[in-house]
Amino acid sequence: MIRRSLRLASIALTLARYRLDELLSDMPMLGMARLVRLVPWGRRQVRDYSRGARLRLALQELGPIYVKFGQILSTRRDLLPPDIADELAQLQDAVPPFSSTEARGIIEDELHAPISALFAEFNDEALASASIAQVHAARLETGEEVVVKVVRPGIDRQIRRDLELLKAMARLVRHHHPEGDRIRPDDIVAEFQRVITRELDMQAEGANASLLRRNFEQSSELYIPQIHWTHTGRRVLTMERVAGVPVKDIAELKRRNVDLEKLARRGIRIFYTQVFRDNLFHADLHPGNILIDTSDPADPSIIALDFGIVETMAPRDLYYIGENFLAIFKREYRRVAELHVEAGWVPADTRIEELEAAARTVCEPNFTRPLEEVSFAEMVMALFAVARRFKLTLQPQLIMLQKTLLNIEGMARELYPGLNIWEVARPELEGIFAERYGLSRTARRLGRGLPGWLAQSPELPGLIHETLKRAAAGQLHTRPDPQEVQRLSDLAERRQRRTISGLLAAGLLIAGAILIGTEIEPLFGGYSIPGLATAVLAALATWRAGPRG
């Protein structure tokens, strides 16, 4: 507890040094950190940076776990201002490598064999090092070149400690910040925990890669390296070593005469195929995780790396996000509004006409420009941003989808600035939807489900009768919304704390008045010091009992 409090104070001081103390102003127990501005050795030069840059620098100083948290936070463009989200997206997850002796020990412990028995060659010098793991080159006894990804020693314990601290900070923000209930910082930390826990499991990453590889086994457009399962465990991942040109090295791609327009179109098609055909998409597809196979410059293919963050969506959400995309492509704004309500993303009592007008206001001005200049990803994000006025709620997977769409579109435009995203995306999505939700596919799904329905059908009359009987007797209950229950619980907890603080304040006030009135010594200026101290405590308790925000 003491160590956590000291670390919390250290974080508060770091934020204050980077002039981010406005984040603390609504949390009284951390507000004293603002006094660090009075210290002459403070970072005077940071005042010239934007608030996003100051936050990015502060997270880098706090350490790699907070850098990772900032990277995940940058995907929450539904909550963050664009300038802060853009700065956080620049965070680099690079830390010094740990020793090869430790790496070898982890590999041997995880795979239950000495390095000499596992590999013909093992390079002790790390190819790359990040906060979660580092990568070594190696060669199998069969002659295949591989890379071995090893989880950083002690990182799981460090992450557990930092997660507990982040959860404590989230609770402080939730209870003391005026926007705490809307921002729901505890949900953001829970999402970070979900993502980083999966990234710690190398077997889960290997499974992600294997599934993506199977989905594109017959494709020449996307290549996924092979996982060597005999050399993979929870803390070690061994994968085929691949070579290619980094997608951000456009000068080298041009030097090799790569067809950049074809490559950009492929990137867009691969995204829509992964999401809407397979419902399994690489959710961390930034330029650092993409290589280009230029062996045939006229027919280049994409090589994907790093499969720690792979997402899937509920079938219902997948359908509604696809229908929303199609409605935007067709400029059917009433359909966009109706889909938001049908999907449950906005409350059922939302006025369709108002949401339709908001969607039109966001989208329609873009169609006055050439489509090759219009960012579909930014339009979708702007639409979701304006829908927040209508109490929009989105699942984390949809947030990751937005981020991936933005990355893919940005990469495609970097490769070929004149690319018309709409011309590529619309026919691709229409074709996938025609196949996925067409009559033949629907008939096959019905056929697969028919035996189960027939097996259950004899029970239906009894279930209907029992339900109607319970309804008539007033015994039919519905399940409450968990989010609403949590909100009411938090509200009751805050009111209970204020009630207790109010009672405490009243008791202290009475006690202080008695002490002062009876002139209990020692005295100061004719007044009882214990009485004055009790009165001050009563004032603090009264302030504590007051409402927040």
Side-chain angles (χ1 to χ4, degrees), residues 74-138:
S74 71
T75 68
R76 296 304 306 264
R77 292 175 180 264
D78 58 320
L79 296 177
L80 294 179
D83 61 314
I84 291 181
D86 290 341
E87 280 287 345
L88 294 185
Q90 297 178 33
L91 285 166
Q92 298 297 312
D93 184 20
V95 295
F98 54 91
S99 71
S100 60
T101 303
E102 289 178 294
R104 284 171 171 265
I106 291 170
I107 294 169
E108 292 178 344
D109 182 56
E110 190 69 31
L111 303 182
H112 310 294
I115 291 287
S116 58
L118 293 166
F119 304 102
E121 290 181 17
F122 182 85
N123 194 331
D124 284 329
E125 186 176 348
L127 290 174
S129 177
S131 58
I132 300 296
Q134 69 185 34
V135 177
H136 291 263

Side-chain angles (χ1 to χ4, degrees), residues 1 41 69 90 115 164 166 209 236 251 308 313 331 342 377 393 407 414 417 419 433 435 447 475 481 484:
M1 184 63 185
W41 46 261
F69 182 62
Q90 297 178 33
I115 291 287
E164 287 302 315
L166 285 170
V236 176
M313 290 192 290
R331 299 162 74 172
E342 289 176 23
T393 57
N407 284 342
E414 284 286 323
L419 181 67
F433 257 52
E435 165 63 21
Q475 298 173 343
D481 179 6
E484 181 65 14

Side-chain angles (χ1 to χ4, degrees), residues 483-521:
Q483 291 186 351
E484 181 65 14
V485 170
Q486 182 64 44
R487 188 186 70 81
L488 293 173
S489 174
D490 291 344
L491 182 61
E493 183 183 344
R494 286 198 294 274
R495 286 178 174 172
Q496 184 182 24
R497 282 202 303 270
R498 286 203 287 268
T499 300
I500 293 170
S501 297
L503 292 171
L504 179 62
L508 288 170
L509 192 60
I510 293 169
I514 292 171
L515 291 170
I516 292 172
T518 55
E519 297 184 351
I520 299 296
E521 294 183 345

Side-chain angles (χ1 to χ4, degrees), residues 8 29 32 56 68 72 165 183-184 226 280 300 325 336-337 373 378 387 397 423 433 441 488 532:
L8 191 59
M29 60 284 294
M32 291 294 289
R56 173 173 56 80
K68 200 77 178 174
I72 299 297
L165 194 56
I183 298 172
R184 302 183 71 86
Q226 182 181 359
L280 186 77
F325 281 13
V336 170
E373 297 178 7
E378 290 179 2
Q397 292 84 348
E423 183 183 82
F433 257 52
R441 183 82 172 264
L488 293 173
L532 290 172

